[in-house]
Structures are given as structure tokens and as C-alpha cells.
């Protein structure tokens, strides 16, 4: 639930229970489910960047970590 002081368009961290503003984009894919060029994304605040990166990394899913301000959605084929 978004409080009255929060903007619904403000990206927030994807970590469970975190409502902090997102600073990072973690691009990933599950090779068992997605084509190699497909990218799913999680958003992370400074505090959760490393934890979320490790979670995806140990599974071999993490493809890239980019600052939110520099993230460009890949173009569709």
C-alpha cells in the first residue's frame, strides 16, 4: 500500500518489505525460462543492491547492474 506522501510513479526497491527509492536496476534472466536476450528487472536501493545481486548471481541469473538514471530498456527484436 502506498502512503499519501509517496508518489506511485517513484520507483521503489524490489527487496521484500523495502519502500526505499530505487537507485539501481538489476537485469537478469532465467535461462531455463527465458531466451538469452530477454531481460527481467529488479530495482534496488543502496542498502539492498548487494543482497539482491548475490541472490541472482548464485543462481546464474544476474546479467547486469546499472544505475537507474542510466538504465535504458532493451529494444524489442
Amino acid at each position: 500500500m502506498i502512503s499519501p506522501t509517496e508518489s506511485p510513479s517513484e520507483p521503489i526497491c524490489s527487496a521484500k518489505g523495502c519502500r526505499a527509492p530505487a537507485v539501481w536496476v538489476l537485469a537478469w534472466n532465467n535461462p531455463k525460462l527465458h531466451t538469452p536476450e530477454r531481460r527481467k528487472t529488479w530495482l534496488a536501493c543502496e542498502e539492498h543492491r548487494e543482497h539482491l545481486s548475490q541472490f541472482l548471481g548464485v543462481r546464474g541469473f544476474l546479467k547486469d547492474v546499472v544505475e537507474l538514471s542510466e538504465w535504458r530498456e532493451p529494444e524489442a527484436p
Side-chain angles (χ1 to χ4, degrees):
M1 185 168 111
I2 297 174
S3 75
T5 59
E6 288 179 296
S7 167
S9 62
E10 181 179 313
I12 61 167
C13 181
S14 298
K16 185 175 182 179
C18 185
R19 304 299 294 165
V23 179
W24 299 96
V25 175
L26 287 66
W28 62 278
N29 93 4
N30 180 339
K32 292 181 180 179
L33 301 175
H34 308 121
T35 59
E37 65 279 352
R38 172 105 188 256
R39 293 292 179 267
K40 304 279 283 178
T41 57
W42 281 356
L43 301 177
C45 64
E46 287 292 344
E47 181 181 349
H48 291 110
R49 175 188 173 199
E50 188 63 30
H51 172 74
L52 293 174
S53 294
Q54 286 179 356
F55 180 89
L56 293 168
V58 297
R59 290 158 178 79
F61 294 175
L62 187 62
K63 301 300 178 191
D64 204 5
V65 178
V66 179
E67 285 191 49
L68 180 60
S69 61
E70 296 178 14
W71 174 251
R72 300 292 175 258
E73 193 72 37
E75 292 184 25

